[in-house]
């Protein structure tokens, strides 16, 4: 099945699923309430967005310099920095480290870049045990599912479903209270932390000035992932760079606010190197893998370069009416929602993924929500333009060419209206059947009755 | 002043009452209204689908027709956004680039024109019903129009205004409604539910295209809730 047919068929299924709609809506409406409260705590949320957009602009437009500075600082404290042009290279680098370390088991904290390169799958195929330590990720891993949302991986599940899952997979779930469920997961995970050979993390921000990687989390699992195993591997996209340490003063609360409606995420840890002489904890080795995977192509694209500003907060998904109705899995991509619809065509091929840019009303809710002011919905429009220009759909183009001829000639336009009026009774005879040319509309909606006298008729008759 | 009224294609063919109301209101306010017969459409359908050449084929002659217009008024946030926001983009690096910018700056969405340009809110209308307002996304976010329609409705005699609890897109989206009918319908259902919850008799909007979608769903559901263009409400005596 092509990606577009798969999208449409999953979308049909999910939009009919009223239970899904209400689970997501309830979750996101409570998010909206706390987010608005946190936004109001900023002196000016709009100025904060502007400042963040400018900082990211600076970071991305001097990415080369910042990456060199970051690497130099990281290496100076003994971190090994690796560069991966694509997913295959990143997987190979990581495998090589695991082989060198004779590792068998890996504990992971949340990293969307690892989803992007399908790391778990590849490592499991090579015989490694991989355990996700973020609770939401742990849950979807037990279900053999991809994360539903870039920030809330298991938001599509109710507590009851998670209880049943734990009962089935772990044989333990005293109740469906979040506390009980967390305790079950914690018991399983604590064991894994102690036996894991390698801890694997993502990164939220990389500070060029100080050579630090900042990891944001609510559960403390990333800290344990980083601190307990002897070897730590961090995988992050090259766009995560911020110029200065002080920039975190804006970006940490902003990420927390836009992402989850929190004043600050519970744990924000800055990693600057492996265990140094005289230190009593931390990994003996730290490998940082910087991933390109077509990000530099976006960097070369002046029109959409700002999509590299993304801090993966998920705010655009949360407000998106398409996301809310079709759900995260329908996209079939690592990054879903508006940001996914914008960047996936660049990361994975325009013609294969242009349907994501088409599946939008261009309502602009995403652009309004984005804390770093990415012009998301206009980028959808540009993707449509690029797709239609490079490979126009024959009948669609023909239809618009015909429409242009009709619209430009008053006599044709007037005739088209008359034909429309005359064929109305015929249309209503076949309404909703296979013969109905307007079936896509009439299956769920009535067509507006067309009056005999159009506005222009009225205007003419009146004079 | 002389107002050039831009009548969008679907208002012309399907919702002439909205256009007629605009003419009557503007004339009552003492303005001369002209309405070029040669303009049928702003070119938004091909534009939004990515067919910018075809969009230019429609928009270029429209621009020429509007060249000497002192003020252009358009009764749709969506088509208004097309002219004000997207024409300059569409004609960038073409010989009509400058003209597109000029026309954009002289173009007004109907409610914004009344309130911001003319400074009028009270049109002496009466509409003794409970109504809620639907913001079309293009009017709301591309043009930033939110207060003008509410200011106008606030002065309508007998009208009881109630906001929907949830601000959301109605799911029309032009060809999106036909390309992804399942998503469009689901979004529309969310909208209809929010409007129904207000207990209003009418959903008013400054965008007939959204209303066409919402009304299509309401009629199919057998709902008593009705939709009506803002200009028609303002023209009720
Ligand atoms: S595009 Fe903006 S809103 Fe969406 S995830 Fe990225 S930063 Fe957040």
């Amino acid at each position: 099945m092509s990606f577009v047919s798969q999208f449409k068929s999953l979308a049909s299924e999910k939009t009919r699923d009223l239970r899904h709609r209400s689970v997501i809506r309830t979750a996101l409406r409570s998010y909206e309430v706390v987010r608005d409260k946190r936004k109001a705590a900023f002196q000016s949320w709009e100025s904060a967005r502007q400042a963040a957009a400018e900082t990211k602009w600076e970071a991305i437009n001097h990415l080369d310099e910042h990456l060199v500075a970051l690497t130099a600082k990281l290496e100076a404290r003994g971190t090994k920095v690796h560069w991966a042009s694509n997913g295959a290279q990143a997987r190979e680098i990581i495998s090589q480290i695991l082989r060198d370390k004779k590792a068998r088991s890996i504990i992971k904290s949340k990293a969307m870049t690892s989803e992007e390169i399908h790391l778990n799958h590849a490592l499991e195929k090579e015989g490694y045990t991989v355990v996700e330590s973020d609770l939401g990720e742990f849950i979807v891993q037990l279900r053999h599912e991809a994360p539903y949302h870039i920030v809330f991986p298991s938001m599509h599940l109710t507590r009851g479903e998670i209880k049943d899952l734990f009962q089935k997979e772990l044989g333990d779930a005293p109740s469906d209270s979040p506390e009980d469920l967390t305790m079950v997961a914690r018991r399983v995970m604590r064991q894994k932390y102690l036996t894991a050979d390698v801890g694997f993390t993502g990164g939220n921000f990389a500070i060029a000035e100080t050579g630090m990687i900042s990891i944001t989390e609510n559960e403390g699992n990333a800290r344990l992932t980083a601190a307990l195993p002897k070897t730590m591997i961090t995988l992050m996209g090259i766009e995560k760079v911020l110029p200065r340490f002080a920039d975190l003063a804006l970006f940490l609360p902003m990420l927390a606010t836009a992402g989850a409606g929190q004043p600050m995420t519970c744990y924000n840890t800055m990693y600057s190197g492996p265990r140094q002489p005289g230190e009593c904890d931390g990994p003996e080795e730290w490998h940082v893998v910087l991933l390109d995977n077509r990000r530099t192509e976006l960097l070369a694209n002046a029109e959409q370069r700002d999509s590299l500003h993304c801090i993966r907060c998920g705010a655009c998904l949360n407000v998106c009416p398409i996301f809310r109705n079709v759900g995260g899995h329908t996209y079939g991509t690592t990054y879903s929602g508006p940001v996914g619809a914008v960047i996936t065509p660049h990361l994975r091929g325009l013609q294969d993924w242009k349907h994501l840019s088409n599946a939008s009303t261009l309502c602009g809710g995403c652009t309004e929500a984005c804390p770093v002011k990415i012009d998301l919905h206009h980028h959808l429009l540009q993707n449509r333009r690029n797709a239609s220009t490079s490979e126009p759909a024959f009948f669609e183009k023909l239809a618009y060419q015909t429409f242009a001829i009709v619209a430009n000639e008053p006599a044709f336009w007037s005739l088209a209206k008359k034909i429309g009026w005359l064929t109305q009774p015929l249309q209503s005879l076949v309404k909703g059947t296979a013969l109905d040319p307007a079936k896509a509309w009439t299956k769920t909606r009535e067509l507006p009755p067309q009056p005999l006298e159009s506005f222009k008729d009225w205007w003419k008759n009146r004079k | 002043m002389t107002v050039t009224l831009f009548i969008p294609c679907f208002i012309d063919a399907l919702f002439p009452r909205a256009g007629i109301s605009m003419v009557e209101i503007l004339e009552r306010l003492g303005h001369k209204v002209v309405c070029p017969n040669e303009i049928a459409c702003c070119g938004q359908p091909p534009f939004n689908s990515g067919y910018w050449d075809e969009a230019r084929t429609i928009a270029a002659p429209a621009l020429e027709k509007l060249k000497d217009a002192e003020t252009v008024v358009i009764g749709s946030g969506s088509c208004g956004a097309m002219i004000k926001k997207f024409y300059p983009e569409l004609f960038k690096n073409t010989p009509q680039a400058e003209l597109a910018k000029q026309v954009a700056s002289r173009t007004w969405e109907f409610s914004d024109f009344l309130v911001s340009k003319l400074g009028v809110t009270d049109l002496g209308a009466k509409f003794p019903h409970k109504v809620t307002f639907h913001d079309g996304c293009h009017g709301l976010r591309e043009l930033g129009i939110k207060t003008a329609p509410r200011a106008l409705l606030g002065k309508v005699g007998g009208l009881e205004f109630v906001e929907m609890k949830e601000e959301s897109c109605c799911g029309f989206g032009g060809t999106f409604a036909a390309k992804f009918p399942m998503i469009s319908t689901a979004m529309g259902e969310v909208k209809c539910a929010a409007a129904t919850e207000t207990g209003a008799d009418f959903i008013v909007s400054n965008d007939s295209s959204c209303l066409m979608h919402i009304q299509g769903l309401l009629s199919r559901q057998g709902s008593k809730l009705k939709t009506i263009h803002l200009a028609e409400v303002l023209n009720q005596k």
Side-chain angles (χ1 to χ4, degrees), chain A residues 162-174:
Chain A
I162 296 168
K163 170 179 176 279
D164 294 345
L165 176 74
F166 280 10
Q167 193 68 57
K168 184 167 149 242
E169 298 292 332
L170 308 171
D172 190 7

Side-chain angles (χ1 to χ4, degrees), chain A residues 356-372:
Chain A
L356 297 183
S357 296
N358 288 328
S360 164
T361 58
L362 305 173
C363 76
C366 48
T367 305
E368 191 177 77
C370 177
V372 287

Side-chain angles (χ1 to χ4, degrees), chain A residues 150 309-317 339 366 369-372 374 376:
Chain A
I150 58 176
H309 294 183
C310 179
I311 57 171
R312 306 278 188 258
C313 71
C316 58
L317 283 65
V339 66
C366 48
C370 177
V372 287
I374 302 173
L376 291 160

